[in-house]
Amino acid sequence: MAEASLGKNTTPAINLEDLMAQFLKASELRNKSGTTTEYRRLLERHLMPTLAKRRVSDLRAHDVTQVIERLSDTPSEANHAVTAIKALLSFAQRRHYIEYNPCQGLPLPAKRNSRSRALAENEIALVFHAASELGYPFGPIIKLCLLTGQRRGEITLLKWDYIDTKDRQITLHSAIVKNNREHSFPYGDMVAAVLADIPQQSDYLFPAGKANGLIFNGWGKQKAKLDRLAPLPHWTPHDLRRTFATQMASLGIPPHVVERLINHASGTISGVAAIYNRYTYLPDMREAIAAYEGHLGSILALAKPEDD
């Protein structure tokens, strides 16, 4: 069967680069800043280098397939790229730049694994020490994910003014949090040490390498470097959030305290009680962080790499 084409289009021709600019502008009005940033990263990295000047009406599914096939070594990145490209072309269809979306039925190239991975203690140590060796910016990002249990996107969107160093508390604005709830959580000595080593070169802790106001976006390349230093069975940065919660549970930290620390939407306390108790668990959260950092410190000390 011949591959379906987009058909003829009576609207003015537009290339993918110009379409992306419109798409991102519209995304800024509808989505969280982290979502738009991720769309930009994926499209600029994978679609634009070869297809920026291609007319949208000339694009075929085969063109996209060729792009995705180059990501066979990073299956998760391939899935994210397909999702972003589909969103871009759906936008083009809504704007009547194309009649048909050639990627409408394109499946995700990699099977999604069940999200059940939590690192064992020896794996935690290996990843943490490898992150130290890797250094800024990816090393501190990985450490903060493990030490705080926050989502990777929330860590990369951290700004210096979110951090209260006097009270040792971080507040994530609702605009960058997945569940739209402002989230405050305490941090301990280990996080303070990580923060102290991060250069203050922007409003963001982890700005992109280019001076374009964007945040760090080199996940694929940097994760590959980390994997070479810490060769473990398949894991993702999101697994560090699950690892945090699992280790907290192993220490006997009550579930409602853990859920408050990671800002879990389906917590054990909800409704009006959740609103009125938003800050009442701060002392419990501080105790939990102290216990967790003490536990983590013991794990790291036992597995500390020998000096050369």
Side-chain angles (χ1 to χ4, degrees), residues 4 16 34 44 75 78-79 129 181 183 186 211 241 249 251 284:
L16 281 165
E44 286 185 344
N79 283 352
H129 291 310
R181 300 185 306 186
H183 175 44
R241 177 173 167 85
L251 296 172
D284 300 297

Side-chain angles (χ1 to χ4, degrees), residues 163-170 185-188 282 286:
I163 303 171
D164 182 342
T165 55
K166 180 180 180 181
D167 289 337
R168 288 197 172 184
Q169 185 167 310
I170 297 174
F185 59 93
Y187 64 85
L282 188 57
R286 291 194 186 280

Side-chain angles (χ1 to χ4, degrees), residues 162-181:
Y162 295 174
I163 303 171
D164 182 342
T165 55
K166 180 180 180 181
D167 289 337
R168 288 197 172 184
Q169 185 167 310
I170 297 174
T171 298
L172 302 178
H173 293 191
S174 59
I176 72 169
V177 178
K178 183 177 181 180
N179 58 21
N180 298 307
R181 300 185 306 186

Side-chain angles (χ1 to χ4, degrees), residues 251-271:
L251 296 172
I253 306 301
H256 67 272
V257 176
V258 178
E259 288 173 346
R260 287 189 172 278
L261 282 165
I262 65 175
N263 198 24
H264 199 273
S266 57
T268 56
I269 299 176
S270 59

Side-chain angles (χ1 to χ4, degrees), residues 145-249:
C145 286
L146 180 60
L147 288 167
T148 68
Q150 306 309 306
R151 297 175 179 87
R152 76 173 203 174
E154 294 163 355
I155 293 298
T156 53
L157 283 167
L158 278 177
K159 291 184 175 182
W160 289 107
D161 61 8
Y162 295 174
I163 303 171
D164 182 342
T165 55
K166 180 180 180 181
D167 289 337
R168 288 197 172 184
Q169 185 167 310
I170 297 174
T171 298
L172 302 178
H173 293 191
S174 59
I176 72 169
V177 178
K178 183 177 181 180
N179 58 21
N180 298 307
R181 300 185 306 186
E182 181 179 279
H183 175 44
S184 295
F185 59 93
Y187 64 85
D189 292 340
M190 294 182 72
V191 168
V194 173
L195 296 175
D197 286 339
I198 297 175
Q200 295 194 26
Q201 54 190 356
S202 166
D203 291 340
Y204 291 99
L205 275 67
F206 306 107
K210 298 178 182 179
N212 54 10
L214 299 178
I215 59 168
F216 168 84
N217 58 22
W219 288 96
K221 182 182 295 185
Q222 292 297 313
K223 175 60 163 54
K225 289 182 179 180
L226 184 64
D227 286 341
R228 288 193 288 270
L229 295 171
L232 299 176
H234 178 70
W235 69 281
T236 71
H238 185 80
D239 295 331
L240 300 177
R241 177 173 167 85
R242 190 176 302 103
T243 300
F244 174 92
T246 300
Q247 290 296 318
M248 281 279 183

Side-chain angles (χ1 to χ4, degrees), residues 21 33 43 62 68 72 83 85 88 92 101 115 134 152 158 162 167 178 198 209 218 231 237 243 271 278 304 308:
S33 60
L43 295 171
H62 176 68
I68 301 306
S72 59
T83 299
I85 293 169
L88 175 70
N101 183 342
R115 293 185 172 184
L134 189 60
R152 76 173 203 174
L158 278 177
Y162 295 174
D167 289 337
K178 183 177 181 180
I198 297 175
T243 300
R278 181 171 296 175
K304 187 176 181 180
D308 294 333

